[in-house]
Amino acid sequence: GGYGGQNDGARERGTGHERWRASRDDRMLKFYMQAGPDTIAARTRRSILYAADSAALAILMTWPLASNLTGLGRSSAGGDGLHSVWNIGWVSRTLVVDPLGLFDANIFYPHRQTLAYSEANIVAGVIGVPAWLVTGSAYAAHNTAVLGAFATAFLGMWLLATRLSGDARAGAIAGIVFA
């Protein structure tokens, strides 16, 4: 029979299948309806705290990068590091100044759509837009994207490990090791 209005004793007297189904329903209810108040405001506060912790950890792990966002970077020897700074700086700048000309980068003249010859790094460029707006520096845009990458790597692994293990401390350790 159905479960509407039955008490727990009536469930236990049912057939084996009914007992299994009731047990499964109880387990699913516990999984989806965990105890404790969980309001939107509480989730927002926790999310802000987690994001701030992630940013602080990224700054700590990459120090002294955050102390000089416009001057430090991976380009001291030129090559790939300098290309990465240029790439993210170009995308950040062009998204603000001329979004339709994003792929008409200032390399390989007279060719057109030259950003397509390399990684577009559009997401990293979007992350770098605020830093580029404030400083006008390709280094600042690049370094902001690097710090964002470390912070989201930690946060993502922390969330995954916490969800899988059920232990926030284990999740934090896994996030630190991963980032």
Side-chain angles (χ1 to χ4, degrees):
Y3 298 115
Q6 291 183 343
N7 62 26
D8 290 336
R11 275 191 200 169
E12 292 177 7
R13 288 192 299 267
T15 66
H17 178 71
E18 288 173 337
R19 282 193 308 263
W20 174 83
R21 187 171 178 182
S23 172
R24 183 201 63 188
D25 289 348
D26 289 343
R27 286 192 312 269
M28 295 304 285
L29 182 64
K30 287 178 186 174
F31 179 76
Y32 287 110
M33 304 293 287
Q34 296 176 356
D38 193 20
T39 63
I40 292 174
R43 286 182 183 188
T44 301
R45 280 192 302 274
R46 282 196 311 266
S47 297
I48 291 169
L49 180 64
Y50 297 155
D53 288 347
S54 298
L57 183 64
I59 289 169
L60 179 69
M61 292 176 69
T62 60
W63 192 261
L65 183 65
S67 69
N68 187 3
L69 287 177
T70 60
L72 295 177
R74 303 178 4 196
S75 63
S76 60
D80 289 343
L82 191 55
H83 176 75
S84 180
V85 170
W86 167 82
N87 184 285
I88 293 172
W90 171 264
V91 172
S92 296
R93 172 210 165 273
T94 309
L95 286 173
V96 172
V97 175
D98 181 23
L100 296 177
L102 178 63
F103 279 89
D104 285 325
N106 60 356
I107 55 173
F108 304 124
Y109 181 82
H111 297 280
R112 302 203 29 89
Q113 304 292 310
T114 54
L115 188 62
Y117 296 170
S118 180
E119 309 88 28
N121 284 331
I122 294 172
V123 173
V126 168
I127 293 169
V129 164
W132 189 86
L133 282 171
V134 170
T135 65
S137 168
Y139 281 99
H142 176 269
N143 291 336
T144 300
V146 168
L147 289 171
F150 277 104
T152 55
F154 165 76
L155 186 60
M157 180 53 77
W158 178 80
L159 290 169
L160 176 65
T162 300
R163 178 70 170 190
L164 294 176
S165 70
D167 184 356
R169 289 176 298 195
I173 291 168
I176 290 169
V177 170
F178 181 74

